[in-house]
Amino acid sequence: MEPALESDISLRVRNVTKRFGEFTAVEDLSFDIRAGRVFGFLGPNGAGKTTTIRMIVGITVPDEGSIELYGQPISYELQDRIGYLPEERGLYKKLKVADQLRYFAELKGVSRAAAEKKIDFWLERMNLAEWKNKKTTDLSKGMQQKIQFISTVLHDPDLLILDEPFSGLDPVNVEFMIDVLSEFRSQAKTVIFSTHLMSTAERLCHDILLINRSRKVLGGSLREVKESYGMNLIAFRGTGAEKVLADKSLVETTIAHADERELHLAAGVDPQRLLRALIGAGASVTKFEITEPSLNDIFIEKVGKNQESRP
Amino acid sequence: MKKFLAIVKHEYKRVVLKWSFLISTLLLPFLAVCFAFVPMIIFSLKGEPMRIAVADPSGKLLPRIEKNLSVERMIERAQQAAKDSMTQINGSQDEKMRNTAASVMQDFVLVPYDLAGRSGDAVRTDLISKVVANEIDAFLIVPDNFDSAQASFVFRSRKGGDFISNDTFQDALNNAVRSQRLADANISEESVAELSAPVNFDAKGIDEAGVEKDSSGVMAASFVIGLMIYITLAIYGQAIMAAVVEEKETRIAEILFSSARPFKLMLGKLVGVGLAGLTQLAIWVGSAAALLAFLALQTDFRQILATVPSITPVMITLFLTYFLLGFFLYASIFALIGSMVTSVQEGGQFAFIPVMIMLAAFYFCFAVIRDPNSDLSFWVTISPFLAPITMPVRILAETPPAWQIALSFLINAATITGLVWVAARVYRVGMLMYGKRATIPEVWKWIRQA
């Protein structure tokens, strides 16, 4: 991670552990989140994401360690600066849209008049203005999702925590939501974004943290993470290269795709050295590209390996 | 505090701005009155005329029984009964009563049975066969020795469970036998009538100040008050449980808990719904007062109003206070149950526990009405859980000393404090536990740790 100024750090999690009886849900977890950036909180189901988020939001308290938001330990007062969209969505079934939103806003300490303005603004923004006085049960799932999102931003939070925000949304609305999130980012607010969808995370996140089985697996800026994995993957197309590619001291594994091959370099091998060897062997090379691993590859490699040893 | 008020307002509106609130406000007083009077009316409904065969070897009793069962005689008795409870009956009321008596009283058709010299057993077998053949509904065999104290009158009826008819008939028979015995002792019919006239029983209660008061209305009023509090507590308790389960089921709890203290949320819910219940009670008390005031202007009803127990503003304040005590006691139990379970159906399996306690309290009301100063009445009106229902009834029946009310209030207030504390601990953990119902040991752990 690039050296961050102290003042940039909005959320600081230090050595946090949370146990439920015999089960340790989160173990010795530490990370920092910087303001104005989107933080991807990644991990398989049951890794401890929701438990961590609940501690950040102040719903539960860590057994050990500390969580600080803007330099202060998490408290009920700080809850008003956080907007939280839980993975399991919930709205009052029989309440009108405007009434729900007003209640959620008031719970976050927003005055009635201010809430009224914000509600109109956001309903307009989300193209839901004509649904203002409808009951939740009259809304489609996607609309409910958007209402839920509005309820998390009405009080203009400084820290936005979104747990799987795109589930249940059609692609058009996903794009729309991504736009809205970009705005938040540009206002120097912090967004924590928890998901299983690596492609979305890859697109949106500046920094990531991957946890698995209660522990941190890797973390840092997306660039750093990728770089630490990259440089050993090559997309290759060409002929007459079989002999070189079979050399285990150069290429560890070869995966054949439809019209090209993916080469994993052996440890410590410079891509340029392989290219020279191929040319030297008289191979005709039509494509030789150093590629980055996708976040998905990293996820599968990091989590998949551990998963096998899971009881 | 601002958040707390927002929660209270939200919960209050959720209850009050619903159709069901309006409907229950209108319907419940009606139901309570029905509960109080319907059984009486049903039992007194006039059935088919009851055909009774009377095997009377002497032939002396049958005319007397017939006379006792005649409409005139019934009215006389009804008037007598009315005299006991009301001081005066004017002409129009007398007319009304005559009609009522004629329409309500059971008709009896007495059929003389000819013994034709048969023995007791043969008569009986024959009469039973007549009952079976539906020629008659019942029969009475008057023994030969009817004037002896050991005489045994055999009465058999197809409607053995119709105790009102049976009682009426037994009364008529008793009187007939008594008058016959007196007549046999050479006492003139006039003297018999005079001697057997019922006494004028002037029954009134005396309150602690020694002032006479008419207590005939107390029973009904206490019953209605007890029932109203019981029903309201049960309804609002279940409403709390349903609201808690909804927030848990829909996972709204997660959003709520990320916005306010769980304790604030739970207390806000209790206060909001409690105020809604209080609103309903206030509507009832207010309209009852308005109705009584209106009736007081109508001369016809003055007499009846005299039997309505006097209810003072202090009493009303106490009733509402006890309603709130009861509400917080039971609502915190219902909230606790709601946060333990995963669905309303599952909650129903536990909800019967508080409902049973409330029902027990309601039954204790009868003991309290009978003797408001007994040891039992004392204990049930100060004990937690029972007092909110029994104390208002006792206050109405006969207001206990102030120290007892204070003691009962303190004991119940202390219980509420403890219960709310326990419920809040279960609530803040239970509301985030999805998927399965919490076990009792788990809940115990939450209470100790949380």
Side-chain angles (χ1 to χ4, degrees), chain B residues 71-72 75 79 93-103:
Chain B
V71 172
E72 286 70 33
I75 293 165
Q79 281 172 339
Q93 276 171 331
D94 185 56
E95 185 59 36
K96 260 185 229 157
M97 202 168 292
R98 191 172 280 273
N99 295 335
T100 323
S103 67

Side-chain angles (χ1 to χ4, degrees), chain A residues 50 54 57-60 76-77 79-80 84 86 88-93 95 103-104 106-112 148, chain B residues 2-3 6-7 9-11 13-14 246-247 249-252 254-262 265 428 432 434 445:
Chain A
T50 303
R54 281 183 177 177
V57 179
I59 293 178
T60 51
Y76 287 108
E77 285 65 42
Q79 279 190 333
D80 291 353
Y84 172 40
E88 300 271 5
R89 308 295 144 69
L91 293 170
Y92 291 104
K93 290 191 193 91
L95 220 55
Y103 181 49
F104 288 138
E106 281 181 322
L107 279 184
K108 286 290 189 184
V110 182
S111 77
R112 210 189 157 90
Q148 192 93 55
Chain B
K2 216 170 102 193
K3 283 187 189 182
I7 300 164
K9 204 172 72 188
H10 169 79
E11 299 293 341
K13 278 164 70 180
R14 248 157 68 88
E246 189 198 353
E247 285 176 354
E249 240 179 350
T250 57
R251 316 290 156 90
I252 295 172
E254 198 136 344
I255 298 170
L256 299 180
F257 283 19
S258 73
S259 310
R261 274 168 220 263
L265 285 162
R428 60 179 269 200
L432 300 172
Y434 307 134
K445 214 170 69 189

Side-chain angles (χ1 to χ4, degrees), chain A residues 168-222:
Chain A
L169 287 181
D170 59 54
V172 176
N173 278 315
V174 169
E175 288 309 312
F176 180 69
M177 292 286 286
I178 288 174
D179 279 354
V180 174
L181 287 186
S182 316
E183 261 169 55
F184 266 88
R185 207 183 69 208
S186 61
Q187 289 165 18
K189 302 195 172 204
T190 311
V191 180
I192 299 180
F193 175 45
S194 166
T195 186
H196 310 100
L197 297 175
M198 294 305 138
S199 54
T200 334
E202 194 152 17
R203 217 182 121 187
L204 284 175
C205 301
H206 302 98
D207 303 312
I208 61 159
L209 175 74
L210 177 62
I211 68 167
N212 189 31
R213 304 176 74 194
S214 323
R215 287 175 158 278
K216 176 174 170 175
V217 176
L218 61 86
S221 76
L222 189 62

Side-chain angles (χ1 to χ4, degrees), chain A residues 5 20 71 83 85 88 114 124 153 165 185 192 209 245 259 287 293 307:
Chain A
L5 291 169
F20 296 109
L85 180 74
E88 300 271 5
E124 197 66 47
V153 297
R185 207 183 69 208
I192 299 180
L209 175 74
L245 297 186
D259 66 339
K287 180 176 181 182
Q307 215 79 355

Side-chain angles (χ1 to χ4, degrees), chain B residues 20-55:
Chain B
S20 56
F21 181 79
L22 185 67
I23 292 166
S24 65
T25 306
L26 295 177
L27 216 56
L28 274 178
F30 176 70
L31 283 180
V33 171
C34 286
F35 270 120
F37 294 109
V38 161
M40 228 166 73
I41 293 168
I42 288 176
F43 279 128
S44 64
L45 278 186
K46 189 174 160 185
E48 292 284 296
M50 195 172 180
R51 296 159 300 169
I52 306 176
V54 179

Side-chain angles (χ1 to χ4, degrees), chain B residues 121-184:
Chain B
D121 279 350
V123 169
R124 202 159 155 168
T125 320
D126 183 43
L127 283 169
I128 289 176
S129 72
K130 276 180 193 291
V131 170
V132 172
N134 201 14
E135 286 171 37
I136 53 171
D137 297 308
F139 63 81
L140 171 77
I141 302 174
V142 178
D144 294 328
N145 61 338
F146 71 84
D147 46 358
S148 112
Q150 281 78 40
S152 158
F153 292 77
V154 174
F155 179 74
R156 295 292 181 271
S157 169
R158 277 197 302 130
K159 305 171 179 171
D162 183 357
F163 59 86
I164 293 195
S165 298
N166 292 355
D167 277 359
T168 314
F169 186 72
Q170 196 191 343
D171 259 14
L173 176 62
N174 262 330
N175 285 331
V177 172
R178 193 183 324 119
S179 339
Q180 185 56 44
R181 283 174 187 164
L182 291 168
D184 288 351

